[in-house]
């Protein structure tokens, strides 16, 4: 039931639970890999904090840091 999932585990772009989560190494915001692939090819800033980013700034989120985010 997606309604019972903590908001911190939902992608702020697609609002679904993270799938293959990726984080921005400059600001730490996390998104789904597909959202990163679709949006950050043309975008130049984080939709949360507006920090300048490119698709190359994203790394796979590993479990422990992701849960502490």
């Amino acid at each position: 039931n997606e309604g019972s999932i903590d908001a911190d585990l939902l992608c702020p772009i697609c609002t679904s639970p993270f799938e293959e989560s990726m984080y921005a190494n400059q600001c730490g915001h996390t998104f789904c890999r597909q959202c990163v692939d679709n949006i950050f090819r043309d975008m130049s800033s984080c939709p949360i904090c507006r920090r300048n980013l490119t698709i190359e700034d994203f790394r796979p989120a590993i479990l422990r840091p992701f849960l502490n985010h």
Side-chain angles (χ1 to χ4, degrees):
N1 180 347
E2 287 187 19
S4 65
I5 296 173
D6 189 295
D8 289 337
L9 299 177
L10 300 176
C11 175
I13 295 173
C14 69
T15 67
S16 294
F18 288 112
E19 290 191 29
E20 295 184 65
S21 54
M22 303 287 287
Y23 74 96
N25 61 4
Q26 293 183 17
C27 65
H29 290 115
T30 307
F31 309 96
C32 294
R33 175 184 288 277
Q34 184 174 353
C35 291
V36 169
D37 288 344
N38 291 338
I39 291 181
F40 286 93
R41 287 189 179 146
D42 299 321
M43 217 171 157
S44 61
S45 64
C46 174
I48 308 255
C49 67
R50 304 291 184 221
R51 184 175 211 141
N52 286 335
L53 297 174
T54 65
I55 197 166
E56 289 81 20
D57 292 316
F58 286 87
R59 303 288 179 265
I62 56 175
L63 186 59
R64 187 164 192 87
F66 175 70
L67 291 176
N68 291 333
H69 179 65

